[in-house]
Amino acid sequence: MKKKFLLALATAAALSAVSLTACSSDSSSSPATPEVSPTDPTQTTDPAQTQTDPAQNPSDPATQQNPSDTTSAVTPQPTDPTDTTATPADTATQPPVDTSVTQPVASDPCEGILPQPKAFPMNEFADVGEVYRNIQCNEKVVFLVRHGEREAGIGSESPLTEDGALEAQEMGAKLVGPTEFKFIHSGFVRTYQTALNIAIGRGQSQMLPDSSVVNFAADTIKQLADGWYLKDKELRDTVMKRDSIKNVNVIYAAWVYEGQYADVFYDLEERSMELLNTYVIKDYAAMPKYTVIASHDQVLMPLTAFATQKQIDLKLHEPTSRKWLSYLAGVAVIINDKNEVRYVPIKGGSSGTI
């Protein structure tokens, strides 16, 4: 019995030794894992042995790949407002420039024309139509004229006579042309009607049988009425009574030409320039081509004498002259594109004086 146990034990031990020898032999014969050279481009890294970059965020959509897309999906980044680098425009999306379309260019009215202003004498009245026809391409003009003949009476409501209206229309006929005129009056009925009838005469406005007016517009400047040059009305009345002067226009003429009664009136030059610079002469570019201003003799007589350097004869105070400014007479103020001003004494009727 004992021998059988010992024999079995020896047999088991021998079998165990054979098993251990076989295991040791299998392990030593397995091929070794090849060493990967980090510089060998033919070798690939085992994904299982690749370390994760701690800076790489696997949840960052900017670095994730679509399994069905071999290109990386990049999320647009916000624009840095401090970056002043200009991005070139996509020329493919820009509409082509049509070089065949020519932009309108303002034409020069004097292109190809040499302005040749006509010199008018300062000691006689030129016909308003002749002055109008000689306005150059680079000039603009304001015709300042006394109102037409009016009904007797004092005040602002006395209208023109029939002859006065007809003469104003005849003056307008001398100003016929393609360019419309601007009209200004003093606010008196007679100056309004004068401007209106000049407009009718040149065909710019119409009066219907019912006396309604079509296509007439005018500005009102109340300062251009009698009294512009008068500084002291009470003193004027006093000296007229003292010197037995019956006609108020006589004292005006004595003041303008002789310097008498200086205390009654403003300074002729200063007051004339104030009138011109305030109501008549503007910057050339801001002025219409043609303007008519209907005013009064006690405004236009001193102004015309000033503009002509007193060469025009309106010396009502002198017994040998006895001339005064006629209806529809006055002065043309002409300004060129260099804002240079010249003056011409004008008459709308047959004579500049009465």
Side-chain angles (χ1 to χ4, degrees), residues 293-313:
I293 297 179
S295 186
H296 303 263
D297 54 349
Q298 291 178 8
V299 176
L300 291 172
M301 178 270 174
L303 181 63
T304 302
F306 164 78
T308 61
Q309 299 179 355
K310 303 180 185 180
Q311 295 182 54
I312 202 74
D313 184 2

Side-chain angles (χ1 to χ4, degrees), residues 1-23:
M1 182 70 177
K2 186 175 180 180
K3 287 182 179 180
K4 290 181 179 180
F5 174 78
L6 291 174
L7 180 60
L9 181 61
T11 300
L15 292 173
S16 176
V18 172
S19 176
L20 290 172
T21 301
C23 291

Side-chain angles (χ1 to χ4, degrees), residues 202-267:
R202 70 179 310 272
Q204 183 171 326
S205 304
Q206 300 81 37
M207 181 176 289
L208 302 180
D210 63 356
S211 297
S212 60
V213 177
V214 180
N215 297 331
F216 180 69
D219 292 344
T220 301
I221 300 179
K222 295 182 177 180
Q223 290 83 350
L224 298 181
D226 291 337
W228 173 259
Y229 288 94
L230 183 62
K231 181 169 64 176
D232 193 331
K233 184 177 181 298
E234 291 185 0
L235 181 59
R236 181 201 67 183
D237 295 341
T238 298
V239 298
M240 286 182 63
K241 183 177 181 179
R242 181 195 66 196
D243 297 346
S244 302
I245 299 174
K246 304 299 183 181
N247 185 342
V248 68
N249 292 335
V250 170
I251 194 173
Y252 270 84
W255 161 62
V256 168
Y257 287 97
E258 307 297 340
Q260 300 179 30
Y261 311 111
D263 293 341
V264 174
F265 300 96
Y266 293 102
D267 180 81

Side-chain angles (χ1 to χ4, degrees), residues 254-305:
W255 161 62
V256 168
Y257 287 97
E258 307 297 340
Q260 300 179 30
Y261 311 111
D263 293 341
V264 174
F265 300 96
Y266 293 102
D267 180 81
L268 176 63
E269 179 178 357
E270 291 179 0
R271 195 64 167 167
S272 296
M273 291 307 303
E274 182 182 354
L275 185 152
L276 292 168
N277 291 329
T278 304
Y279 304 112
V280 181
I281 301 173
K282 307 295 182 182
D283 181 76
Y284 175 86
M287 294 177 63
K289 180 70 172 179
Y290 305 107
T291 302
V292 167
I293 297 179
S295 186
H296 303 263
D297 54 349
Q298 291 178 8
V299 176
L300 291 172
M301 178 270 174
L303 181 63
T304 302

